[in-house]
Amino acid sequence: MYKIATVVGAIALILSVPLSMNLPPSIAIENGPIENFQVVLLLCASVNSLRLMLDSYDHGLKSFHVFCALGFVLLTMRELSWGRVFYQIAIDDTEPIFVPMSDYAWRIEAYTFIVVVSLMMLFLLIKHVPIRRLVSAPLPIALFAIVFVGVILQYCGEHGFLIGKIHGQVLEEITETIIYAMQPILCSYYHSTLK
């Protein structure tokens, strides 16, 4: 499974630049098709982590998967702009405009959620995750390389370095999707390695 994921991830990264130059920029708008797919992908990743947790007998490994599931929920909320995507106030020539975070009715609750989940994740990481076992496990270098290159391409796309700002936004969203897709693969890898 990891070899297939590595090959598919590598091919996706290689194709991300030419695809970004040829796909319409409208698919990468805020709350557009790619971002909606990312939300579904992250929710599926969270469910996968809970499935792996139920398959674990080791308390530390169970906590690791809870930590991963919470992380994916946090990323999902980030992709939904902490709920602001449900409060579109206008649309300009390129994309929808949402309520600014400073005027967002659920601003305090969103920030509270971020702080609480982040603290829970940190607590679980320190208290329960088998750090020594994680560090001593063989590194899936190819998967990490895909994530690393994806982060670089995502940064380049966001700042318009490679293919300009307009198509760079498409590159940013495509590579972000690839990075998100690799995360549950990494969780599954460590689950099978540490089990």
Side-chain angles (χ1 to χ4, degrees), residues 29 88 90-97:
I29 62 172
Q88 180 177 331
I91 189 159
D92 66 10
D93 294 338
T94 56
E95 62 183 22
I97 300 169

Side-chain angles (χ1 to χ4, degrees), residues 87-151:
Y87 297 98
Q88 180 177 331
I89 55 174
I91 189 159
D92 66 10
D93 294 338
T94 56
E95 62 183 22
I97 300 169
F98 304 108
V99 172
M101 196 65 174
S102 58
D103 297 335
Y104 181 48
W106 302 98
R107 180 180 76 250
I108 302 301
E109 289 83 353
Y111 288 136
T112 304
F113 177 79
I114 296 166
V115 170
V116 168
V117 171
S118 298
L119 289 175
M120 285 175 60
M121 289 166 59
L122 185 62
F123 171 77
L124 287 170
L125 180 66
I126 293 168
K127 179 93 172 140
H128 298 294
V129 172
I131 300 295
R132 286 188 184 130
R133 286 169 57 200
L134 282 174
V135 171
S136 63
L139 274 177
I141 294 170
L143 289 173
F144 278 119
I146 290 168
V147 171
F148 179 73
V149 172
V151 168

Side-chain angles (χ1 to χ4, degrees), residues 5 15 46-47 50 61-62 123 129-130 152 168:
L15 294 177
S46 186
V47 170
L50 294 176
L61 199 52
K62 280 184 180 290
F123 171 77
V129 172
I152 292 171

Side-chain angles (χ1 to χ4, degrees), residues 2-95:
Y2 308 109
K3 284 187 177 181
I4 294 171
T6 302
V7 170
V8 170
I11 291 170
L13 275 181
I14 292 165
L15 294 177
S16 63
V17 173
L19 269 175
S20 300
M21 294 186 319
N22 291 294
L23 288 172
S26 59
I27 69 163
I29 62 172
E30 191 70 28
N31 199 27
I34 296 179
E35 284 205 350
N36 288 330
F37 176 71
Q38 290 172 352
V39 168
V40 172
L41 183 65
L42 289 166
L43 288 174
C44 289
S46 186
V47 170
N48 179 62
S49 289
L50 294 176
R51 180 188 66 80
L52 294 173
M53 179 203 66
L54 294 173
D55 188 50
S56 303
Y57 297 106
D58 179 85
H59 183 66
L61 199 52
K62 280 184 180 290
S63 298
F64 172 75
H65 292 303
V66 170
F67 166 79
C68 291
L70 288 171
F72 290 127
V73 168
L74 204 60
L75 286 170
T76 302
M77 294 304 293
R78 178 192 160 275
E79 283 304 321
L80 292 172
S81 300
W82 314 108
R84 289 184 304 134
V85 296
F86 303 114
Y87 297 98
Q88 180 177 331
I89 55 174
I91 189 159
D92 66 10
D93 294 338
T94 56
E95 62 183 22

